[in-house]
Amino acid sequence: MRQYFQSVRFRMVLSYLAIVLVIALLFGSILYLFFSNQYSKEIRNAKQLSLKNTVNYIESSVIQKVNQVYLSLALGSSVNIDLDRLQGNHGKILDIEQLLKKQVQNYSDLIQAIHLYDTENHFMISSVYGLLLYESSSSSEANMADWIVAMKETEGNSLWMQTRMVPQDVYIQSPEPNNMNSLISYVHSYPFQSSGQDSKVMIAIDIKESAISQIIKNMLPADYESTFIIDRDGIVISAADKSLLGSSNTENLVQSLLSDHSSDGSFSPIIDHGSYVISQDQFKGTGWRIYTTTPNKNFYYKLDSLKEVSVILCLLAVAVGIAMSSIFTAANYSPLKRLLNNIKSRMDSPTSLKQDEYRFIDTAINSLSSKVDSLEETLQANHRMIKHSIMLNMLHNRFTPEELAEQLQSVQISMAYSRFRCIVIDPVSEKWKKLQPRQLQHTLYTIIQQLEITNIDETRLLAEELQDHKIAVIICTNQPGEPLTDHIVGSIHAEAKSQFDLEFALSLGGWVDHFTKIHTSYHEANILIKYSYFFPALSAIQDLDLLNRETSTLEIPDSYLANVEKKLQSRDVDGTILAIQDVVSTIKEGMYSAEYSHIILLKMISIYADCISQVRWQPAEASSMNLYKQYSSLYNIDRYSEWLIHLVTEFVTHMEKRSEVRSVDTISAVKTYIREHLSGDLTLDHVSEQVFISPKYLSKIFKEETGITYSEYVTNQRMERARELIAQREFTIEQVASTVGYRTPAYFIKKFKEIHGCTPKNFMRSLMH
């Protein structure tokens, strides 16, 4: 009885009960019709979410990028855009023009042009027009620069203009629509906080309206034709129909959008006697609003069709379910029964038949598939995997001599040779590190395969991949050693360069006379490969004397690194380079271990990092990864030396330029800070932090610019202020001392007498006579 309930026949009978499910489906359809309004609301929410995502994307990819371009020009540019210094300096004008063109090229998909306008001298530097006088410019160019008039009338520091049409070729005025570009100008004052009325320079960035339209088209492909962006004044600044740009009367649609909307982002107005579903959202910084208009009939027609189709399908399902249940029960079980009997007759264990028919067939097929898959995997992969495991265990001496001989015989590897030697190959080139995992694995397998099929008289090469993508090669030969080794090393380098365009580092262990000693040669080669970093000129590292360096405890004198630090802090480029080269040559020639040598190289990087940190300078190379990651990507000490020398040279050059530009401004800022904070902390360390330079450098340039030391200047300023306060006769000596930054009156009186030649009381008495 239990087997009957588990049978397919019984389950087919249960298919009649599917009619109940069909009825339930029909009931669900009725509920669906009842809650259709909720479905409509979800569609509205989805449309509103898409619109909000579009607004966020436009703000991040257009508005924020434009602000970044302005900030790059106003604050972050290496070319000063202060137009007050341009009188007669044509080279500076060209630099600014090239800077503007470079910014336009960097954002060519978004920006059409960038203009700088001098509000005092009335001239413009443009990435398109070059240098021109605004008052004498042609009327067409004046129209293109209407942002100047608008910016002069605003009290804010930035302004978004309405869309205007500009010819694609600035030198050909063509009224043809196909030859016109629609542009939106963003104008910002300079200096940053000044208003349009008070600005010295206006920076205008012409943005392609087509870039905004393309974003809308990509984000809202179905609603692109009916989507508008309208500014604060109700003017259309972006639309699929370019003839609407700059218009405030799009068949009464814009007026309806501006006058009839709700705060929830979606509403249904009546426009031109038609009912629409409107979704809208607002841009945060510009005051623009984006609207998507969809006629009600287009919005709901899918919902209505879905209702009708659901009812029809439910009715059809009821009819078809009744008919098909009875037909399938009779027709399908007969061939199934014949198949089942055939499988049962071929099964070894009839006791396994205590389950329903489908499960029994599924179990039989899975069992057969598992056996086939297991057989294929064993035939295809087992040999290679076993050989790989045996070779690695042999290199690490994990077999007894008897076990190793037995294992090698199992994979049909003969060791009937008189000499053995191990080579370790390390793919150290930059191209190797850039390979994708699949390419890397394919290259490894190709190299190993070519090594093993190399045909050399009385010689066989066995190659295996190590865990760190290195390759171990075992030379098994009856030939003399050195000529054969040189030939193999040369072949490896030649094949790597010609076939893969890669560079390899090689190391060779010593010769051994029996295959059970191969692990000693591998251990030597594995140690020697570390020193390929320090001897890149050698085709292979095979000097076994280098093994003594691995256990050496020698250390490089501290004076070497101290010399590097001293020369770098003194901004001596040549001296620093010589100091670096001295350390590198000492590492190459001395008996220092590989690990200790890398520590010394890292210490030199740490000296450089501390130096640039002290002056708050971030080099360009540190933008993508830090200095220590860059160090790990260098594959020999010569590349390291070139890289570090380049960093040092760039740093010193930058500091020299920055010193020339900032010294006068820095001293002025320091003097201002001292005057405003006489009662506060005016130590050299504290004030240097306020102007972002090192205390040592501030002390140096202060003495050079003023002729006196920093502490003398601070004391003079405090005593001068103290004399003014005493002359007012409104403060006690203790109050005056506290006001000018002295905690104890006694020390204040001492300093006052040193500067003015008398005590504060005597000075006060002299004022009374």
Side-chain angles (χ1 to χ4, degrees):
M1 181 62 68
R2 181 178 179 183
Q3 293 182 4
Y4 175 78
F5 288 113
Q6 293 179 349
S7 67
V8 175
R9 183 187 296 274
F10 177 79
R11 296 183 180 183
M12 287 184 174
V13 172
L14 293 179
S15 64
Y16 287 108
L17 298 178
I19 298 174
V20 176
L21 298 178
V22 173
I23 295 174
L25 179 62
L26 180 61
F27 179 74
S29 299
I30 296 173
L31 293 178
Y32 169 77
L33 296 176
F34 180 78
F35 292 106
S36 60
N37 289 334
Q38 183 66 26
Y39 176 76
S40 173
K41 184 177 181 181
E42 291 178 0
I43 295 178
R44 287 172 180 255
N45 292 339
K47 188 176 288 289
Q48 185 65 31
L49 180 60
S50 299
L51 200 62
K52 183 175 290 294
N53 291 337
T54 303
V55 169
N56 291 338
Y57 190 82
I58 293 175
E59 287 181 340
S60 62
S61 62
V62 176
I63 298 175
Q64 290 183 10
K65 280 187 179 179
V66 171
N67 283 320
Q68 289 173 4
V69 171
Y70 166 76
L71 292 175
S72 176
L73 291 172
L75 303 177
S77 173
S78 59
V79 177
N80 193 341
I81 66 169
D82 189 356
L83 301 183
D84 291 339
R85 303 182 181 180
L86 297 183
Q87 297 179 359
N89 191 348
H90 302 291
K92 188 67 173 181
I93 293 173
L94 291 175
D95 289 344
I96 293 178
E97 182 180 352
Q98 291 301 320
L99 174 63
L100 300 182
K101 290 182 178 181
K102 182 178 180 181
Q103 288 290 348
V104 172
Q105 291 174 357
N106 291 340
Y107 299 94
S108 58
D109 58 334
L110 175 62
I111 298 175
Q112 180 73 15
I114 303 177
H115 320 282
L116 298 182
Y117 174 68
D118 187 336
T119 59
E120 297 178 1
N121 300 311
H122 306 292
F123 68 89
M124 180 189 300
I125 301 176
S126 171
S127 64
V128 177
Y129 306 109
L131 176 65
L132 54 83
L133 294 176
Y134 175 72
E135 292 179 344
S136 62
S137 62
S138 64
S139 60
S140 62
E141 292 172 346
N143 291 334
M144 295 176 188
D146 54 353
W147 48 270
I148 296 176
V149 176
M151 191 62 183
K152 286 181 178 180
E153 297 175 355
T154 184
E155 296 179 358
N157 59 3
S158 64
L159 178 66
W160 284 91
M161 297 294 293
Q162 297 171 355
T163 305
R164 68 177 190 277
M165 305 305 292
V166 177
Q168 294 179 0
D169 190 338
V170 297
Y171 301 103
I172 300 177
Q173 302 298 327
S174 174
E176 294 294 332
N178 294 333
N179 296 327
M180 304 293 284
N181 284 332
S182 53
L183 302 179
I184 305 172
S185 294
Y186 172 72
V187 192
H188 204 293
S189 62
Y190 180 87
F192 185 82
Q193 296 296 338
S194 62
S195 65
Q197 301 170 353
D198 301 329
S199 62
K200 293 182 179 180
V201 179
M202 297 180 186
I203 302 177
I205 303 174
D206 290 340
I207 305 164
K208 298 177 182 178
E209 183 275 338
S210 58
I212 298 177
S213 292
Q214 187 62 40
I215 293 174
I216 296 174
K217 188 174 183 179
N218 294 338
M219 299 291 290
L220 304 169
D223 299 319
Y224 171 66
E225 296 294 334
S226 59
T227 300
F228 306 88
I229 296 180
I230 301 173
D231 67 6
R232 300 175 187 268
D233 300 325
I235 304 301
V236 177
I237 63 171
S238 180
D241 186 0
K242 304 307 177 185
S243 64
L244 304 179
L245 299 179
S247 170
S248 60
N249 185 11
T250 309
E251 298 179 355
N252 297 324
L253 180 58
V254 174
Q255 287 80 355
S256 300
L257 296 179
L258 294 175
S259 61
D260 186 8
H261 64 86
S262 60
S263 60
D264 62 357
S266 181
F267 53 96
S268 301
I270 303 298
I271 303 174
D272 292 338
H273 308 290
S275 180
Y276 287 79
V277 174
I278 307 298
S279 297
Q280 58 90 22
D281 205 338
Q282 184 172 5
F283 293 82
K284 296 179 181 178
T286 61
W288 299 345
R289 300 190 75 86
I290 185 171
Y291 296 90
T292 296
T293 63
T294 307
N296 264 349
K297 60 181 180 179
N298 294 339
F299 190 82
Y300 291 107
Y301 80 95
K302 291 184 177 180
L303 183 62
D304 295 333
S305 300
L306 185 61
K307 295 175 183 178
E308 297 173 359
V309 170
S310 298
V311 174
I312 294 174
L313 288 178
C314 287
L315 295 176
L316 289 176
V318 173
V320 171
I322 295 173
M324 297 302 292
S325 295
S326 57
I327 295 174
F328 284 162
T329 301
N332 292 340
Y333 190 77
S334 179
L336 176 65
K337 186 176 182 180
R338 290 196 299 270
L339 177 62
L340 190 64
N341 292 333
N342 190 10
I343 293 175
K344 288 180 179 180
S345 64
R346 299 175 183 273
M347 292 291 293
D348 296 332
S349 176
T351 57
S352 63
L353 305 183
K354 296 180 179 180
Q355 50 188 327
D356 66 75
E357 294 88 339
Y358 284 134
R359 288 187 180 180
F360 177 79
I361 295 173
D362 185 65
T363 301
I365 294 175
N366 288 338
S367 176
L368 179 61
S369 298
S370 298
K371 292 180 180 179
V372 172
D373 292 341
S374 177
L375 179 61
E376 290 179 351
E377 291 174 359
T378 301
L379 294 176
Q380 293 178 4
N382 215 28
H383 179 79
R384 179 64 190 171
M385 293 177 62
I386 293 174
K387 175 179 174 292
H388 176 75
S389 176
I390 292 174
M391 296 296 292
L392 291 183
N393 287 326
M394 178 176 66
L395 293 175
H396 292 90
N397 194 27
R398 295 170 181 163
F399 290 131
T400 63
E402 295 77 11
E403 290 174 340
L404 179 57
E406 182 180 351
Q407 293 291 336
L408 291 173
Q409 185 178 3
S410 67
V411 290
Q412 299 178 350
I413 294 179
S414 174
M415 286 294 183
Y417 299 95
S418 60
R419 297 165 62 83
F420 303 89
R421 194 176 194 181
C422 189
I423 302 176
V424 173
I425 303 175
D426 187 6
V428 294
S429 64
E430 293 179 356
K431 293 184 178 180
W432 178 267
K433 298 179 183 298
K434 295 178 181 179
L435 292 177
Q436 298 295 325
R438 285 189 177 181
Q439 295 175 315
L440 187 147
Q441 201 64 39
H442 173 73
T443 304
L444 278 175
Y445 284 154
T446 304
I447 293 171
I448 291 173
Q449 184 179 11
Q450 289 186 352
L451 286 170
E452 291 195 334
I453 64 175
T454 301
N455 186 13
I456 303 176
D457 292 340
E458 298 186 71
T459 301
R460 180 179 182 179
L461 300 182
L462 300 174
E464 285 297 335
E465 177 190 358
L466 302 176
Q467 291 182 350
D468 50 1
H469 298 305
K470 296 177 184 176
I471 299 175
V473 182
I474 301 174
I475 304 175
C476 310
T477 185
N478 293 320
Q479 293 189 25
E482 298 309 321
L484 174 64
T485 300
D486 294 341
H487 172 70
I488 294 174
V489 169
S491 299
I492 292 174
H493 282 299
E495 287 295 326
K497 189 65 178 176
S498 62
Q499 186 167 350
F500 304 104
D501 194 22
L502 298 173
E503 296 179 6
F504 288 166
L506 277 69
S507 65
L508 293 89
W511 288 100
V512 295
D513 57 3
H514 197 268
F515 67 89
T516 57
K517 301 178 182 179
I518 288 176
H519 64 276
T520 61
S521 180
Y522 167 73
H523 178 70
E524 294 169 348
N526 203 32
I527 293 177
L528 291 179
I529 197 65
K530 301 177 184 179
Y531 294 90
S532 63
Y533 184 90
F534 305 100
F535 302 98
L538 298 179
S539 61
I541 308 297
Q542 52 184 327
D543 184 2
L544 297 181
D545 290 338
L546 289 174
L547 297 174
N548 296 328
R549 291 181 59 164
E550 194 65 13
T551 57
S552 173
T553 59
L554 289 178
E555 295 184 358
I556 295 177
D558 295 339
S559 59
Y560 283 81
L561 294 179
N563 188 34
V564 173
E565 184 175 8
K566 178 182 177 182
K567 296 296 183 182
L568 183 59
Q569 289 181 346
S570 63
R571 312 291 190 265
D572 183 359
V573 177
D574 296 334
T576 307
I577 292 174
L578 290 176
I580 293 173
Q581 292 174 343
D582 195 16
V583 173
V584 170
S585 61
T586 302
I587 290 175
K588 287 183 177 181
E589 298 169 2
M591 290 293 294
Y592 307 106
S593 68
E595 183 178 357
Y596 175 75
S597 300
H598 281 290
I599 292 174
I600 295 299
L601 298 180
L602 286 170
K603 284 185 177 180
M604 284 201 291
I605 297 175
S606 179
I607 291 172
Y608 168 76
D610 291 341
C611 191
I612 65 174
S613 176
Q614 289 174 1
V615 297
R616 294 177 173 84
W617 179 60
Q618 186 76 359
E621 287 83 352
S623 59
S624 57
M625 57 181 177
N626 60 40
L627 295 172
Y628 299 102
K629 287 185 178 179
Q630 292 181 54
Y631 167 75
S632 65
S633 68
L634 302 174
Y635 54 86
N636 66 56
I637 197 169
D638 292 341
R639 292 294 300 274
Y640 166 87
S641 180
E642 295 172 0
W643 168 72
L644 188 56
I645 289 173
H646 167 73
L647 292 180
V648 168
T649 304
E650 182 184 29
F651 165 67
V652 175
T653 303
H654 172 80
M655 293 307 299
E656 290 176 352
K657 292 180 180 179
R658 190 167 76 172
S659 298
E660 294 173 1
V661 175
R662 292 186 57 190
S663 59
V664 176
D665 294 339
T666 299
I667 296 303
S668 177
V670 169
K671 289 181 177 180
T672 301
Y673 184 85
I674 291 172
R675 286 195 302 271
E676 295 175 354
H677 300 82
L678 285 174
S679 63
D681 183 4
L682 293 181
T683 61
L684 186 61
D685 290 339
H686 178 75
V687 176
S688 64
E689 291 180 359
Q690 310 308 311
V691 293
F692 306 107
I693 61 175
S694 66
K696 184 177 180 180
Y697 180 66
L698 174 58
S699 177
K700 176 178 177 294
I701 64 174
F702 198 93
K703 180 68 178 295
E704 292 175 353
E705 293 293 333
T706 64
I708 62 175
T709 65
Y710 171 81
S711 59
E712 289 173 346
Y713 181 83
V714 172
T715 301
N716 291 340
Q717 290 295 310
R718 282 175 164 167
M719 292 301 107
E720 184 65 27
R721 179 57 178 161
R723 189 173 68 172
E724 293 174 359
L725 293 174
I726 292 173
Q728 295 176 10
R729 302 179 183 178
E730 297 177 358
F731 303 96
T732 65
I733 299 302
E734 290 77 7
Q735 290 174 334
V736 172
S738 176
T739 302
V740 296
Y742 290 94
R743 295 183 179 179
T744 59
Y747 186 67
F748 165 69
I749 293 171
K750 176 183 177 183
K751 285 294 182 182
F752 190 91
K753 186 175 181 181
E754 289 177 0
I755 300 299
H756 296 297
C758 63
T759 64
K761 288 185 178 181
N762 291 337
F763 177 74
M764 188 180 296
R765 292 192 190 103
S766 66
L767 295 176
M768 297 178 180
H769 295 294

